[in-house]
Amino acid sequence: GSADRIRKEAEKVFGSNNKPRAIVLTHGHFDHVGALPELLKHWNVPVYAHPLEMPYLKGKSHYPPPDPAVGGGAMAYMSWVYPTKPVNLGDKVLPFPANGIVPELPEWKIIHTPGHSPGHVSLFRERDCTLLAGDAFVTVNQNSVFSVISQKEEFHEPPAYFTIDWQAAKKSVQELARLNPKAIGTGHGLPVSGRKWQNRFARFAENFDNYIPEDGRYVKQPAHTDESGIVDMPEPTSYKRARLVAGIGLGVVAGAALAFISRKIKKGNSDIV
């Protein structure tokens, strides 16, 4: 349902009748590709992704299932209902060139940052040290529904319920920290910039072990995949607790969202007065 919003924002920035030259995917999870089929009806442009994401973008394989047992909040507990089925973009999706440079984006370096997904990538522009990190890490506690609603800015591990290799995720974050980015945009949470956030990101990367969950399906053993999809996965842990909490969580999400919106409306009316 976000295709029209994306198109309108693009037109606002770049003008109407000025379609993008390409679309670059950090990875293919459902919340990152949901608008693509509709967008491609209007924008006949190539889509780029890492070769290890191709099975999930060409309809060949589901992603490894989510891990509700990883805990940490209602978003995680509810993840057993999140879709993992692939999209099929056919010949619209192309692998990144071997040199890590997309022809349509010559200033941006593509960096393989696996962990959250097998072929996850981040983008870095050296000229102004801008990092687009996708879900390699995020700037909100994506496991907590209340944090997601409030959008409080703080560095966090990648969304835990979909992360399939925690040691790879750690290495990816520490590799990105060595770039010393000055401005950071992530797939979840608000963008941040400035010296304060540079320092916080460095500390976050240094202490990433503290953000790795204690329990969960992929915490001790990762899922293994290749360019055809899933190779093997660790045995699942029990979802009974997750489903119970999810049932309760779904009931409170609507109330929390309505309360937040109500506060925003009251604040807006106060500002008007």
Side-chain angles (χ1 to χ4, degrees), residues 76-92:
Y77 288 129
M78 292 187 290
S79 66
W80 64 275
V81 302
Y82 300 164
T84 60
K85 65 181 182 180
V87 296
N88 190 354
L89 301 177
D91 58 5
K92 285 286 186 182

Side-chain angles (χ1 to χ4, degrees), residues 14-15 50 59 74 78 80 88 94 98 130 132 143 147 149 156 162 169 201 217 246 250 262-263:
F14 300 107
H50 193 277
M78 292 187 290
W80 64 275
N88 190 354
L94 304 171
T130 296
L132 302 179
N143 302 315
S147 295
I149 291 171
H156 270 274
F162 266 152
F201 182 46
R217 182 173 188 174
L250 286 170
S262 177
R263 288 198 302 271

Side-chain angles (χ1 to χ4, degrees), residues 18-273:
N18 186 19
K19 68 181 182 181
R21 295 179 61 194
I23 294 172
V24 176
L25 295 177
T26 58
H27 60 304
H29 283 157
F30 76 99
D31 55 329
H32 289 256
V33 301
L36 261 181
E38 185 66 26
L39 286 173
L40 291 175
K41 293 178 183 177
H42 301 277
W43 294 339
N44 186 24
V45 298
V47 179
Y48 290 96
H50 193 277
L52 289 174
E53 293 295 297
M54 291 299 167
Y56 321 110
L57 299 172
K58 293 197 171 194
K60 295 181 178 180
S61 174
H62 283 239
Y63 272 105
D67 184 8
V70 80
M75 295 294 287
Y77 288 129
M78 292 187 290
S79 66
W80 64 275
V81 302
Y82 300 164
T84 60
K85 65 181 182 180
V87 296
N88 190 354
L89 301 177
D91 58 5
K92 285 286 186 182
V93 61
L94 304 171
F96 291 121
N99 64 0
I101 303 295
V102 173
E104 294 86 352
L105 279 175
E107 283 192 292
W108 292 85
K109 181 181 179 182
I110 307 297
I111 305 168
H112 185 206
T113 48
H116 184 60
S117 76
H120 189 286
V121 301
S122 302
L123 293 84
F124 185 69
R125 186 168 60 190
E126 189 172 358
R127 170 170 55 83
D128 54 5
C129 293
T130 296
L131 172 66
L132 302 179
D135 288 358
F137 63 93
V138 293
T139 59
V140 66
N141 182 3
Q142 188 63 23
N143 302 315
S144 163
V145 67
F146 295 105
S147 295
V148 171
I149 291 171
S150 68
Q151 290 292 291
K152 179 184 177 182
E153 298 130 300
E154 52 186 340
F155 288 119
H156 270 274
E157 73 281 4
Y161 43 84
F162 266 152
T163 299
I164 62 169
D165 187 334
W166 284 96
Q167 291 307 309
K170 173 183 174 180
K171 290 179 182 178
S172 294
V173 167
Q174 292 178 342
E175 179 180 358
L176 294 176
R178 286 192 286 271
L179 299 172
N180 197 24
K182 295 180 180 178
I184 298 171
T186 60
H188 302 274
L190 300 175
V192 296
S193 62
R195 176 66 66 180
K196 176 182 77 171
W197 290 102
Q198 276 185 295
N199 294 337
R200 287 187 180 181
F201 182 46
R203 290 196 299 271
F204 164 72
E206 184 179 349
N207 296 294
F208 188 83
D209 282 335
N210 296 334
Y211 293 84
I212 297 177
E214 293 183 2
D215 298 304
R217 182 173 188 174
Y218 308 110
V219 173
K220 305 299 182 184
Q221 179 183 340
H224 296 119
T225 67
D226 61 18
E227 294 185 14
S228 297
I230 298 170
V231 175
D232 62 66
M233 298 181 293
E235 290 295 318
T237 49
S238 173
Y239 290 179
K240 289 182 179 179
R241 180 187 174 198
R243 289 178 177 177
L244 174 62
V245 176
I248 298 171
L250 286 170
V252 303
V253 166
L258 287 172
F260 182 75
I261 292 169
S262 177
R263 288 198 302 271
K264 287 291 187 181
I265 291 172
K266 289 179 181 178
K267 184 179 185 299
N269 290 339
S270 175
D271 291 344
I272 292 170
V273 173

